[in-house]
């Protein structure tokens, strides 16, 4: 198998008429990485993928694959292979012919092709299914055939355009693990497009969060989740409670915010925004539902919030408690299931405590609307 | 009652279902099968004046078929070389027209089918509108273009490409152009129909896997479009082999089309049995050729209806 090579996007702009689909993207993807572009539909992530695969010429900027500029190189000449959202298997070719299509183009004999196809079929655990038509396979099997077909071309970079979105939940979760394993085995660079933060977090070495053509943040899953750079990244990846207010005091990476409805809150300035917040600025603080814990009622301070229990949702491993703070501020809290229930506390006011390290502050901005 | 019939009636209601069935039966049996059978019957009878029809002389005979092969009894030649030549030339020419049409129409159909946008409607409309004009007028229009003092010759001699006008009509160019043009839509639309439903991602997938454009067509688009191609080819072949107006108007004086012979026998010689025999031979040969071609290209009868 060919080793993975790096992919670099340099000042990449893609416009369709007046519409800017991708705005000044700069990304360095390391060879052999599993890299995800994560964002809502229409954010430009598929456009980037099409540009990398060569179906679309960037309006400005460069795409480098393995250090080589791909300007003017057609999709059939690039060391990339693309897995389409709908897989796009050839319905009239047998499974093995589908897999070995790239070898057919290079003029390999039927025997060679069959042999290679069988090897790949074994790798994707579909031995002996080569003579079937794609329509005779299940969704998950077709998925794997599409991967095998792409790998057969021995690409240096595999591009995947939301390949799991057509599968049902169980299969999707299973395929996550499988994709990750295949990627480790073949060692090539994977670039993965998804709007599903779960997929991105579980599989990726690195994630780029995109919004409206702009890359908001690039980092590994933990960084994106724990230390978001923008309000959009904070609210799009995972669930978050947002508290709006004005900066009252800054000291180092700690900031005290006079929140609109929940009193004074102390928070940590997210790494990307250290030094960018000053007194009087509008600010947002993000606290994840699982970052709260119950405190003794009546305790007060700059890392406490009090709220009234409105509703409880039992999710098995956690209780989701929906609370209402001062002025109708909605707060969601997730507490691990220790066998207790909060049903009897409906209507009661409780005090929530958080660790300041888990409250992330940044200048106010656009949230993900979902 | 067979199951499919019951399902059909259940689906459409008994009343409407029966009406539809009746109409289709009337169409196929009353308007196609029975008249053809009567032609078949004619073709095996001698040409008799009306009073003698049904009389003792009215017996089944192979005379009319023999005539096509051997010519008039006591004739100077061993075979009916003229008619046979016309027959084979018609078939070969019809095959050529079909292939030419396919080569011409496949790219158009592909473009129409795989391109999005309003201009596609305009293009389709521009293809259809000329067919509002009567077939005979269209043929005469081509005569004006291809005639000795026609548009094409004026341009070509004017541009200095030819010293003397080229006789497109005597050399049958006009005829082939006319036949090709007459059935363009019947080739384009079946292919367009199929290609329109081809997922564009498949073309991109093939390209992404390294395929050059011709191989994408060879391995992905053409196999997918095969039902459309075969139904277009069948129609164009059948209709050009059976065409009458275009050969009458655009054919050179010496080059007859087989349908013209049939026409002459029915009309000029009032020899219906002879004409019927020629028509039956043409029909059967064409059907056999189509079936043979379908076999060769592994097309099912069901695909033709797609």
């Amino acid at each position: 198998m060919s080793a993975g090579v790096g992919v670099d996007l340099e000042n990449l702009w893609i416009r369709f008429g007046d519409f800017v689909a991708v705005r000044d993207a700069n990304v360095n993807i390391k060879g052999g990485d599993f890299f995800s572009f994560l964002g809502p539909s229409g954010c430009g992530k598929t456009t980037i993928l099409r540009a990398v695969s060569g179906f679309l010429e960037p309006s400005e900027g460069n795409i480098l694959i393995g250090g080589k500029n791909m300007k003017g190189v057609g999709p059939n000449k690039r060391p990339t292979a693309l897995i389409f959202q709908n897989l796009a298997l050839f319905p009239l070719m047998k499974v093995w012919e589908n897999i070995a299509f790239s070898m057919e183009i290079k003029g390999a004999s039927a025997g060679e092709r069959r042999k290679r196809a069988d090897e790949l079929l074994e790798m994707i655990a579909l031995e002996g299914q080569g003579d079937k038509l794609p329509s005779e396979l299940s969704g998950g099997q077709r998925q794997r055939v599409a991967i095998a077909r792409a790998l057969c071309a021995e690409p240096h970079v595999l591009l995947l355009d939301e390949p799991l979105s057509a599968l049902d939940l169980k299969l999707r979760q299973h395929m996550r693990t499988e994709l990750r394993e295949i990627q480790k085995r073949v060692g090539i660079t994977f670039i993965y497009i998804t709007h599903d933060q779960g997929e991105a977090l579980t599989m990726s070495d690195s994630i780029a969060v995109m919004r409206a053509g702009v890359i908001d943040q690039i980092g590994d899953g933990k960084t994106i989740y724990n230390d978001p750079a923008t309000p959009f990244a904070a609210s799009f990846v995972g669930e978050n409670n947002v508290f709006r207010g004005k900066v009252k005091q800054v000291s180092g990476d700690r900031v005290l915010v006079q929140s609109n409805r929940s009193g004074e809150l102390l928070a940590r300035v997210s790494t990307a925004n250290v030094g960018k917040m000053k007194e009087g600025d509008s600010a947002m603080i993000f606290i994840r539902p699982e970052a709260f814990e119950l405190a003794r009622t009546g305790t007060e301070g700059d890392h406490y919030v009090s709220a009234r229990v409105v509703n409880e949702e039992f999710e098995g491993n956690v209780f989701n408690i929906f609370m209402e703070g001062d002025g109708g501020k909605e707060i969601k809290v997730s507490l691990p299931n220790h066998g207790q229930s909060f049903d009897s506390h409906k209507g009661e006011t409780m005090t929530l405590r958080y660790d300041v390290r888990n409250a992330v502050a940044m200048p106010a901005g656009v949230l993900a609307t979902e | 009652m067979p199951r499919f019939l019951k399902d059909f009636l259940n689906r459409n209601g008994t009343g409407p279902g029966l009406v539809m069935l009746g109409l289709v039966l009337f169409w196929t049996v009353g308007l196609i099968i029975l008249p053809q059978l009567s032609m078949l019957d004619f073709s095996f009878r001698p040409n008799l004046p009306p009073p003698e029809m049904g009389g003792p002389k009215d017996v089944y005979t192979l005379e009319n078929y023999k005539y096509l092969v051997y010519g008039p009894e006591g004739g100077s030649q061993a075979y009916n070389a003229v008619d046979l030549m016309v027959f084979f030339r018609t078939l070969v020419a019809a095959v050529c027209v079909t292939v030419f049409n396919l080569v011409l129409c496949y790219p158009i159909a592909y473009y129409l089918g795989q391109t999005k946008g309003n201009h596609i409607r305009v293009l389709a409309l521009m293809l259809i509108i000329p067919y509002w004009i009567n077939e005979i007028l269209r043929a005469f229009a081509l005569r004006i273009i291809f005639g000795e003092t026609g548009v094409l010759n004026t341009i070509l001699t004017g541009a200095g490409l030819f010293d003397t006008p080229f006789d497109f009509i005597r050399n049958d160019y006009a005829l082939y152009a006319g036949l090709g043009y007459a059935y363009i839509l019947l080739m384009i639309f079946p292919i367009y129909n199929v290609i329109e439903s081809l997922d564009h991602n498949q073309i991109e997938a093939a390209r992404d896997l390294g395929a050059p454009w011709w191989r994408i067509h060879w391995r992905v688009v053409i196999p997918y479009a095969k039902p459309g191609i075969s139904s277009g080819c069948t129609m164009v072949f059948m209709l050009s082999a059976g065409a009458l107006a275009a050969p009458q108007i655009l054919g050179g004086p010496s080059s007859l089309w087989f349908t013209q012979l049939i026409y002459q026998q029915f009309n000029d010689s009032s020899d219906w049995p002879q004409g019927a025999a020629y028509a039956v031979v043409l029909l059967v040969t064409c059907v056999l050729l189509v079936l043979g071609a379908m076999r060769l290209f592994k097309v099912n009868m069901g695909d033709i209806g797609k």
Side-chain angles (χ1 to χ4, degrees), chain A residues 141-162:
Chain A
Q141 291 172 329
R142 277 207 288 274
Q143 182 73 60
R144 303 208 289 265
V145 171
I147 294 167
R149 180 177 74 175
L151 290 178
C152 187
E154 306 205 332
H156 298 297
V157 180
L158 191 67
L159 310 166
L160 303 99
D161 185 8
E162 305 212 19

Side-chain angles (χ1 to χ4, degrees), chain A residues 201-221:
Chain A
L201 291 176
T202 46
M203 294 191 283
S204 319
D205 294 311
S206 223
I207 301 171
V209 180
M210 278 192 83
R211 169 182 62 90
V214 179
I215 295 176
D216 265 22
Q217 185 175 10
I218 301 175
D220 62 29

Side-chain angles (χ1 to χ4, degrees), chain A residues 317-334:
Chain A
N317 53 343
V318 292
F319 285 99
N320 294 318
I321 303 167
F322 297 92
M323 307 179 92
E324 206 176 270
D326 296 337
K329 165 84 198 150
E330 278 176 34
I331 301 171
K332 184 182 173 183
V333 179
S334 296

Side-chain angles (χ1 to χ4, degrees), chain B residues 85-114:
Chain B
M85 262 306 283
V86 172
F87 177 65
F88 288 116
R89 242 204 29 216
T90 302
L91 290 179
V92 170
V95 170
C96 291
V97 167
T98 309
V99 172
F100 170 73
N101 246 358
L102 177 60
V103 171
L104 186 73
C105 295
Y106 174 81
I108 299 174
Y110 177 77
Y111 179 76
L112 289 177
Q114 282 292 317

Side-chain angles (χ1 to χ4, degrees), chain A residues 50 55 75-76 81-82 84 86 88-93 104-105 149, chain B residues 199 201-202 204-212 215 219-220 223-224:
Chain A
R50 291 180 63 79
F55 287 110
N76 48 355
L82 175 60
F84 290 79
N86 66 355
L89 294 176
F90 307 123
L92 301 173
M93 289 184 210
E104 186 185 323
I105 292 155
R149 180 177 74 175
Chain B
D199 173 16
N201 281 353
Q202 284 189 19
E204 293 199 338
R207 228 172 106 200
D208 187 60
L209 290 168
R215 197 187 282 270
R219 287 292 275 150
V220 179
Y224 188 84

Side-chain angles (χ1 to χ4, degrees), chain B residues 117-136:
Chain B
N118 273 333
H119 67 292
I120 291 302
R121 285 165 187 281
V122 178
L123 276 178
L125 208 62
M126 281 164 65
L127 281 169
I128 293 169
I129 284 177
Y131 287 82
W132 292 359
I133 296 163
N134 180 299
E135 188 190 349
I136 296 181

Side-chain angles (χ1 to χ4, degrees), chain B residues 2 11 27 63 66 71 118 139 174 184 201 204 252 266 270 306:
Chain B
R11 208 169 33 241
W27 162 261
E63 273 311 305
K66 271 192 191 154
N118 273 333
I184 264 185
N201 281 353
E204 293 199 338
F266 273 100
S270 295
K306 272 183 191 165

